Amino acid sequence: AQSVTQLDSQVPVFEEAPVELRCNYSSSVSVYLFWYVQYPNQGLQLLLKYLSGSTLVKGINGFEAEFNKSQTSFHLRKPSVHISDTAEYFCAVKHGSGNTGKLIFGQGTTLQVKP
Amino acid sequence: DVKVTQSSRYLVKRTGEKVFLECVQDMDHENMFWYRQDPGLGLRLIYFSYDVKMKEKGDIPEGYSVSREKKERFSLILESASTNQTSMYLCASTTGTSLFFGPGTRLTVL
Protein backbone atom coordinates (compact mmCIF):
# COMPACT_ATOMS: atom_id res chain seq x y z
CA ALA A 1 0.00 0.00 0.00
CA GLN A 2 1.06 3.53 -0.73
CA SER A 3 2.35 5.47 2.27
CA VAL A 4 3.70 8.92 3.06
CA THR A 5 6.17 9.79 5.80
CA GLN A 6 6.80 13.30 7.04
CA LEU A 7 10.05 13.07 8.86
CA ASP A 8 9.55 15.93 11.33
CA SER A 9 6.50 16.41 13.51
CA GLN A 10 7.54 19.94 14.51
CA VAL A 11 9.91 22.43 12.91
CA PRO A 12 10.70 25.60 14.87
CA VAL A 13 12.39 28.36 12.90
CA PHE A 14 13.06 32.08 13.29
CA GLU A 15 11.38 34.63 11.05
CA GLU A 16 13.20 35.29 7.75
CA ALA A 17 15.18 32.05 8.02
CA PRO A 18 14.91 29.35 5.33
CA VAL A 19 12.95 26.19 6.02
CA GLU A 20 12.62 22.70 4.58
CA LEU A 21 9.81 20.30 5.47
CA ARG A 22 10.63 16.74 4.49
CA CYS A 23 8.35 14.20 2.86
CA ASN A 24 9.06 10.69 1.59
CA TYR A 25 6.62 8.37 -0.12
CA SER A 26 6.65 4.68 -0.92
CA SER A 27 7.47 3.96 -4.51
CA SER A 28 4.84 3.42 -7.18
CA VAL A 29 4.66 3.37 -10.95
CA SER A 30 3.13 6.79 -11.18
CA VAL A 31 2.27 9.19 -8.43
CA TYR A 32 0.89 12.64 -8.03
CA LEU A 33 2.26 14.58 -5.06
CA PHE A 34 0.75 17.42 -3.06
CA TRP A 35 1.43 19.76 -0.19
CA TYR A 36 -1.48 21.18 1.77
CA VAL A 37 -1.44 23.80 4.52
CA GLN A 38 -3.82 24.12 7.45
CA TYR A 39 -3.90 27.41 9.33
CA PRO A 40 -5.29 27.34 12.89
CA ASN A 41 -9.02 26.59 13.01
CA GLN A 42 -9.31 26.26 9.25
CA GLY A 43 -9.60 23.49 6.66
CA LEU A 44 -6.79 22.43 4.37
CA GLN A 45 -5.81 24.40 1.29
CA LEU A 46 -3.59 23.38 -1.56
CA LEU A 47 -0.06 24.84 -1.56
CA LEU A 48 1.29 23.10 -4.65
CA LYS A 49 1.18 19.88 -6.61
CA TYR A 50 3.37 17.76 -8.87
CA LEU A 51 1.59 15.91 -11.66
CA SER A 52 4.30 15.65 -14.34
CA GLY A 53 6.94 17.70 -16.11
CA SER A 54 9.43 19.90 -14.28
CA THR A 55 10.52 18.42 -10.98
CA LEU A 56 10.65 21.84 -9.31
CA VAL A 57 7.16 23.00 -8.50
CA LYS A 58 6.28 26.48 -7.32
CA GLY A 59 3.24 27.12 -5.17
CA ILE A 60 1.49 29.90 -3.33
CA ASN A 61 3.03 32.12 -0.64
CA GLY A 62 6.59 31.63 -1.95
CA PHE A 63 6.77 27.89 -1.29
CA GLU A 64 8.32 25.40 -3.69
CA ALA A 65 8.94 21.67 -3.70
CA GLU A 66 11.21 19.33 -5.61
CA PHE A 67 10.17 15.90 -6.81
CA ASN A 68 13.06 13.45 -6.54
CA LYS A 69 12.10 10.11 -8.04
CA SER A 70 15.31 8.27 -7.12
CA GLN A 71 14.97 9.25 -3.47
CA THR A 72 11.14 9.08 -3.49
CA SER A 73 11.01 12.48 -1.84
CA PHE A 74 9.00 15.65 -2.25
CA HIS A 75 10.47 18.18 0.20
CA LEU A 76 8.87 21.59 0.69
CA ARG A 77 11.04 24.69 0.93
CA LYS A 78 10.79 28.40 1.49
CA PRO A 79 13.84 30.71 1.44
CA SER A 80 12.51 33.16 4.03
CA VAL A 81 9.57 32.45 6.32
CA HIS A 82 7.11 34.85 7.92
CA ILE A 83 5.19 34.65 11.18
CA SER A 84 2.07 34.09 9.08
CA ASP A 85 3.52 30.80 7.77
CA THR A 86 2.93 29.24 11.18
CA ALA A 87 0.61 26.34 10.37
CA GLU A 88 0.44 22.59 9.91
CA TYR A 89 1.67 21.22 6.60
CA PHE A 90 0.61 17.94 5.06
CA CYS A 91 2.24 15.99 2.27
CA ALA A 92 -0.03 13.70 0.23
CA VAL A 93 0.28 11.18 -2.60
CA LYS A 94 -2.24 9.92 -5.14
CA HIS A 95 -1.89 6.86 -7.30
CA GLY A 96 -2.17 6.89 -11.06
CA SER A 97 -4.27 9.02 -13.35
CA GLY A 98 -7.89 9.86 -13.77
CA ASN A 99 -10.49 11.30 -11.51
CA THR A 100 -10.72 8.40 -9.14
CA GLY A 101 -8.22 7.34 -6.57
CA LYS A 102 -7.72 8.54 -3.06
CA LEU A 103 -5.19 10.86 -1.48
CA ILE A 104 -2.99 9.36 1.21
CA PHE A 105 -1.71 11.91 3.72
CA GLY A 106 1.36 12.06 5.89
CA GLN A 107 1.22 12.68 9.62
CA GLY A 108 1.71 16.43 9.28
CA THR A 109 4.50 18.84 10.24
CA THR A 110 3.84 21.83 12.47
CA LEU A 111 5.89 24.83 11.37
CA GLN A 112 6.43 27.28 14.24
CA VAL A 113 7.86 30.60 13.10
CA LYS A 114 9.30 32.65 15.94
CA PRO A 115 9.93 36.40 15.90
CA ASP B 1 -15.12 30.44 -5.93
CA VAL B 2 -14.99 26.82 -4.84
CA LYS B 3 -17.00 26.11 -1.74
CA VAL B 4 -17.31 23.09 0.54
CA THR B 5 -19.42 23.64 3.63
CA GLN B 6 -19.93 21.49 6.70
CA SER B 7 -23.03 21.73 8.85
CA SER B 8 -21.29 22.42 12.16
CA ARG B 9 -17.88 23.71 13.26
CA TYR B 10 -18.22 22.26 16.76
CA LEU B 11 -20.41 19.43 18.00
CA VAL B 12 -20.74 17.76 21.39
CA LYS B 13 -22.57 14.43 21.65
CA ARG B 14 -23.01 11.69 24.21
CA THR B 15 -21.84 8.09 23.96
CA GLY B 16 -24.37 5.96 22.09
CA GLU B 17 -26.02 8.80 20.21
CA LYS B 18 -26.48 8.64 16.44
CA VAL B 19 -24.57 11.54 14.87
CA PHE B 20 -24.96 13.06 11.42
CA LEU B 21 -22.25 15.20 9.83
CA GLU B 22 -23.31 16.95 6.67
CA CYS B 23 -21.16 18.20 3.81
CA VAL B 24 -22.29 20.21 0.80
CA GLN B 25 -20.25 21.31 -2.25
CA ASP B 26 -21.35 23.75 -4.92
CA MET B 27 -18.88 22.76 -7.64
CA ASP B 28 -20.76 19.84 -9.26
CA HIS B 29 -17.93 17.49 -8.25
CA GLU B 30 -18.46 13.75 -8.68
CA ASN B 31 -16.05 12.67 -5.96
CA MET B 32 -16.48 13.36 -2.27
CA PHE B 33 -14.50 12.20 0.74
CA TRP B 34 -14.65 12.06 4.53
CA TYR B 35 -11.42 12.16 6.51
CA ARG B 36 -10.73 12.29 10.21
CA GLN B 37 -7.76 14.22 11.53
CA ASP B 38 -5.98 13.32 14.76
CA PRO B 39 -2.73 14.73 16.15
CA GLY B 40 0.28 12.76 15.00
CA LEU B 41 -1.79 10.63 12.64
CA GLY B 42 -2.50 13.09 9.86
CA LEU B 43 -5.67 12.61 7.83
CA ARG B 44 -7.16 9.15 7.52
CA LEU B 45 -9.80 8.31 4.94
CA ILE B 46 -13.10 7.01 6.33
CA TYR B 47 -15.30 6.72 3.24
CA PHE B 48 -15.50 8.15 -0.25
CA SER B 49 -18.03 8.36 -3.04
CA TYR B 50 -17.55 8.58 -6.80
CA ASP B 51 -21.17 9.20 -7.67
CA VAL B 52 -24.65 9.48 -6.25
CA LYS B 53 -25.62 6.39 -4.25
CA MET B 54 -22.11 4.97 -4.62
CA LYS B 55 -19.73 4.61 -1.71
CA GLU B 56 -16.48 2.88 -0.94
CA LYS B 57 -14.73 2.18 2.33
CA GLY B 58 -11.55 4.00 3.10
CA ASP B 59 -8.90 2.98 5.59
CA ILE B 60 -10.91 3.30 8.81
CA PRO B 61 -14.64 2.73 8.07
CA GLU B 62 -15.51 0.85 11.27
CA GLY B 63 -18.20 2.59 13.28
CA TYR B 64 -19.18 4.87 10.40
CA SER B 65 -21.55 4.85 7.46
CA VAL B 66 -22.27 7.35 4.70
CA SER B 67 -25.10 8.52 2.50
CA ARG B 68 -25.04 10.25 -0.87
CA GLU B 69 -28.56 10.80 -2.18
CA LYS B 70 -27.71 13.95 -4.15
CA LYS B 71 -24.54 14.86 -5.99
CA GLU B 72 -23.82 17.91 -3.85
CA ARG B 73 -24.34 16.34 -0.45
CA PHE B 74 -22.32 13.66 1.36
CA SER B 75 -23.28 12.70 4.89
CA LEU B 76 -21.19 10.87 7.47
CA ILE B 77 -23.11 8.90 10.10
CA LEU B 78 -21.82 7.65 13.41
CA GLU B 79 -24.29 4.87 14.21
CA SER B 80 -23.51 4.82 17.94
CA ALA B 81 -20.98 7.44 18.93
CA SER B 82 -18.07 6.39 21.14
CA THR B 83 -15.41 8.43 22.91
CA ASN B 84 -12.72 7.21 20.51
CA GLN B 85 -14.57 8.98 17.72
CA THR B 86 -13.76 12.34 19.26
CA SER B 87 -11.87 13.99 16.44
CA MET B 88 -11.79 16.61 13.69
CA TYR B 89 -13.79 15.51 10.65
CA LEU B 90 -12.96 16.97 7.26
CA CYS B 91 -15.02 16.69 4.09
CA ALA B 92 -13.48 17.17 0.65
CA SER B 93 -14.54 17.06 -2.97
CA THR B 94 -12.85 16.90 -6.35
CA THR B 95 -13.43 16.31 -10.01
CA GLY B 96 -9.74 16.07 -10.84
CA THR B 97 -6.50 15.66 -8.97
CA SER B 98 -6.79 18.32 -6.25
CA LEU B 99 -9.05 18.09 -3.24
CA PHE B 100 -11.05 21.04 -1.94
CA PHE B 101 -11.70 20.87 1.79
CA GLY B 102 -14.43 22.14 4.05
CA PRO B 103 -13.56 23.96 7.31
CA GLY B 104 -13.99 20.82 9.42
CA THR B 105 -16.24 19.73 12.27
CA ARG B 106 -14.67 19.21 15.66
CA LEU B 107 -16.70 16.46 17.32
CA THR B 108 -16.45 15.70 21.02
CA VAL B 109 -18.12 12.55 22.33
CA LEU B 110 -18.64 12.53 26.09
Side-chain angles (χ1 to χ4, degrees):
Chain A
Q2 191 71 234
S3 67
V4 179
T5 302
Q6 292 182 241
L7 296 157
D8 307 293
S9 59
Q10 295 191 10
V11 174
V13 64
F14 287 105
E15 195 173 18
E16 297 183 7
V19 71
E20 178 179 82
L21 305 184
R22 298 179 293 167
C23 173
N24 285 92
Y25 63 94
S26 59
S27 180
S28 181
V29 176
S30 66
V31 292
Y32 298 150
L33 295 157
F34 304 79
W35 276 98
Y36 281 83
V37 60
Q38 185 180 35
Y39 297 106
N41 299 315
Q42 295 186 27
L44 276 70
Q45 58 180 274
L46 181 67
L47 262 183
L48 49 80
K49 60 185 176 184
Y50 170 79
L51 304 181
S52 65
S54 172
T55 57
L56 184 63
V57 180
K58 293 192 183 298
I60 61 171
N61 301 339
F63 283 93
E64 63 181 33
E66 185 151 20
F67 170 56
N68 188 320
K69 190 173 182 179
S70 62
Q71 299 196 0
T72 61
S73 68
F74 191 55
H75 300 334
L76 181 71
R77 301 186 184 101
K78 186 170 182 177
S80 176
V81 295
H82 303 290
I83 296 286
S84 59
D85 293 323
T86 294
E88 189 155 20
Y89 292 79
F90 292 94
C91 181
V93 63
K94 180 176 179 286
H95 288 279
S97 59
N99 294 335
T100 58
K102 52 186 184 180
L103 239 56
I104 305 298
F105 285 85
Q107 302 91 328
T109 298
T110 300
L111 177 63
Q112 301 161 323
V113 182
K114 305 175 191 178
Chain B
D1 220 12
V2 164
K3 196 138 185 161
V4 180
T5 57
Q6 295 183 230
S7 50
S8 306
R9 291 300 305 273
Y10 300 94
L11 209 52
V12 180
K13 295 292 181 181
R14 296 208 173 272
T15 302
E17 280 192 77
K18 191 168 186 175
V19 181
F20 293 86
L21 303 183
E22 306 284 343
C23 175
V24 177
Q25 50 96 1
D26 65 358
M27 298 159 286
D28 203 34
H29 286 169
E30 288 92 5
N31 308 328
M32 297 187 74
F33 302 79
W34 275 106
Y35 287 87
R36 72 176 270 178
Q37 180 183 6
D38 299 289
L41 297 177
L43 277 71
R44 292 178 292 166
L45 183 63
I46 305 171
Y47 266 97
F48 56 109
S49 168
Y50 291 134
D51 202 349
V52 174
K53 296 192 186 295
M54 291 183 65
K55 60 186 178 185
E56 288 198 36
K57 293 180 180 179
D59 300 316
I60 52 164
E62 297 79 18
Y64 304 94
S65 62
V66 289
S67 171
R68 190 150 181 220
E69 296 296 319
K70 293 184 178 181
K71 191 175 187 181
E72 67 271 17
R73 188 180 297 269
F74 191 36
S75 302
L76 179 69
I77 303 155
L78 285 65
E79 298 291 343
S80 176
S82 63
T83 54
N84 63 13
Q85 293 178 309
T86 291
S87 187
M88 170 71 88
Y89 290 87
L90 293 166
C91 175
S93 72
T94 184
T95 196
T97 50
S98 304
L99 290 182
F100 294 93
F101 282 87
T105 296
R106 187 167 293 281
L107 173 67
T108 301
V109 182
L110 301 176

